[in-house]
Amino acid sequence: MACCFCNIAWSCVVAAVVSIVGDLLALGAFASYRNNAHLHGKWNEYKYLDPQLIMEEWETRRDLRPIETASGLFSAASWVILCIPVVQMIWILGRQGTHLVGLHTSMMILTVSGAIVEITSLVMYVGAVTAMEWLSTDFNLSVWLESSTAADPDDIGWRVLEMIHIGIRGMQLWVGAVELLFLATMLVLLFFSIQRQGDSSSKQYDSAISPNNNAAVSAMTPQPVLLSYRFGYYSLFISLLCIVDFCFEVLRFVSWREFAKFAFGVAILLRLIFWPAWLLWLGRHLGTFQQNQLMYNHGNNAAAPSLMELTDANGNTNVAAANTMMDPVPVTGDGVYSTTTTTPPTNAADNAGGFTTEDI
């Protein structure tokens, strides 16, 4: 277990922890709100914009505002941190910008756009709600008509304030739903990218990461499996959950209270269990790849395996090949590593000991 966590990209761990903390804060705020009994059995009165219920609602919101704001900040931070491992993953799968350029560029655009939308919506929502809370405490919202008095208020201002708040919450809900679509689309593209990672269409990349192979051999040899196919299918499963969550979020406008229960259940499964697991799995893959790259940078000895031999069909390190790579590198008389390389293999049979996409 210790080795598993040592060989992991910590950007994924941080993204998972920040995401879980933000969702737990949101869950706590929701639970506290539900435990407040002032709206229980009074939904119809609330839809008629009863001023007394609205005043009690704003008192509850003021108490929960710090938790909701902190939850939004953690959510935005998780999107920003997510960009780091996703860009790394795209760079690896795209073979340094030489493989499926359009698909991987779309993945990057979707992820960065999700982060920008999340930050923008958070700033707008916090600013709007803060101003409305100020209105609810320091401004006259009870006596607007000339015929009204302090003893007999019309409370029109409270009704107007609540309608504005409902509109802003609707905007926030749609922003969250669109973010789910961004994430689902990115994961579907990731699935197709993983399915095609064994294509030997990029000789430039193969020659760059495997200096012991020439161009002719690169064209004959399948590319290494860098992310496991099981991870691709799991990403597709997460994308389906995102689409289901999106549908329930939208259907809340049809029947708010009924579909809110389904949306809440799916959100718990997705954001507290399946999504953090996806991040940690991605971190394991990125950590393995980074470890293999460090082995290459260590030197090129006579028994140096290729990147394909360092990575098996599940995207994990081939221990036997890794041990060979970790053997001491011959040192020249100047005290620097030797750059002597071996003769390239002459046929595909010389590489039969490695893991390829054909082994799956």
Side-chain angles (χ1 to χ4, degrees):
M1 182 64 68
C3 294
C4 176
F5 281 96
C6 288
N7 187 27
I8 192 170
W10 286 100
S11 58
C12 293
V13 177
V14 174
V17 171
V18 171
S19 177
I20 291 175
V21 171
D23 292 328
L24 287 177
L25 287 173
L27 180 62
F30 179 81
S32 299
Y33 181 80
R34 293 289 295 177
N35 290 333
N36 194 303
H38 71 273
L39 278 181
H40 290 180
K42 300 179 181 179
W43 180 246
N44 290 330
E45 289 86 345
Y46 174 75
K47 290 196 294 184
Y48 277 96
L49 297 176
D50 181 271
Q52 187 61 38
L53 285 179
I54 294 174
M55 294 178 192
E56 296 175 359
E57 185 80 353
W58 276 100
E59 290 180 4
T60 303
R61 289 170 185 162
R62 283 192 292 269
D63 294 336
L64 296 177
R65 185 62 55 207
I67 301 178
E68 291 185 350
T69 303
S71 173
L73 290 173
F74 275 97
S75 178
S78 67
W79 267 99
V80 174
I81 300 172
L82 174 65
C83 293
I84 299 174
V86 168
V87 169
Q88 289 179 298
M89 174 186 68
I90 292 171
W91 185 250
I92 294 171
L93 289 174
R95 303 172 193 169
Q96 302 179 5
T98 63
H99 178 64
L100 300 177
V101 177
L103 184 145
H104 294 114
T105 301
S106 300
M107 292 171 58
M108 185 179 300
I109 292 174
L110 287 169
T111 306
V112 175
S113 298
I116 294 174
V117 169
E118 176 69 19
I119 294 174
T120 304
S121 65
L122 173 66
V123 172
M124 294 176 62
Y125 177 75
V126 171
V129 171
T130 302
M132 286 189 290
E133 288 182 354
W134 182 37
L135 289 171
S136 68
T137 56
D138 293 356
F139 285 74
N140 171 34
L141 301 177
S142 299
V143 181
W144 281 19
L145 300 178
E146 294 182 358
S147 58
S148 301
T149 62
D152 184 23
D154 54 70
D155 295 322
I156 295 177
W158 288 104
R159 294 184 173 95
V160 173
L161 184 67
E162 187 66 16
M163 288 190 293
I164 295 174
H165 185 267
I166 292 173
I168 293 176
R169 287 298 300 269
M171 178 194 70
Q172 185 193 35
L173 188 150
W174 272 103
V175 168
V178 170
E179 290 172 356
L180 288 172
L181 282 185
F182 283 178
L183 186 59
T185 306
M186 188 274 289
L187 292 172
V188 170
L189 295 178
L190 173 61
F191 169 76
F192 287 111
S193 175
I194 292 176
Q195 294 301 305
R196 296 191 59 185
Q197 66 181 319
D199 294 352
S200 55
S201 59
S202 176
K203 302 177 185 178
Q204 177 184 356
Y205 173 79
D206 189 59
S207 299
I209 64 173
S210 187
N212 291 341
N213 290 341
N214 58 21
V217 176
S218 300
M220 299 165 53
T221 306
Q223 294 294 330
V225 176
L226 303 174
L227 270 69
S228 67
Y229 291 106
R230 287 180 296 178
F231 180 72
Y233 286 111
Y234 185 70
S235 300
L236 187 63
F237 168 71
I238 296 295
S239 70
L240 294 177
L241 280 182
C242 290
I243 293 174
V244 172
D245 194 4
F246 168 81
C247 293
F248 283 140
E249 290 288 349
V250 174
L251 288 174
R252 290 170 70 177
F253 287 102
V254 178
S255 179
W256 184 272
R257 305 190 73 182
E258 293 299 325
F259 286 104
K261 300 175 183 178
F262 294 103
F264 183 71
V266 174
I268 289 179
L269 292 176
L270 175 62
R271 301 174 188 181
L272 293 180
I273 300 176
F274 294 115
W275 177 244
W278 183 90
L279 286 170
L280 295 178
W281 197 350
L282 173 61
R284 187 71 175 87
H285 279 302
L286 293 179
T288 299
F289 183 84
Q290 291 169 359
Q291 183 185 40
N292 294 343
Q293 289 297 97
L294 288 176
M295 293 177 185
Y296 268 106
N297 294 335
H298 188 64
N300 295 317
N301 59 7
S306 66
L307 179 60
M308 189 176 308
E309 293 173 314
L310 280 173
T311 312
D312 63 14
N314 291 323
N316 298 318
T317 300
N318 182 355
V319 178
N323 291 334
T324 302
M325 178 61 80
M326 292 303 292
D327 289 340
V329 180
V331 180
T332 66
D334 297 330
V336 298
Y337 291 113
S338 172
T339 57
T340 303
T341 57
T342 60
T343 304
T346 56
N347 53 61
D350 295 334
N351 197 36
F355 289 84
T356 70
T357 53
E358 297 175 348
D359 296 328
I360 300 175

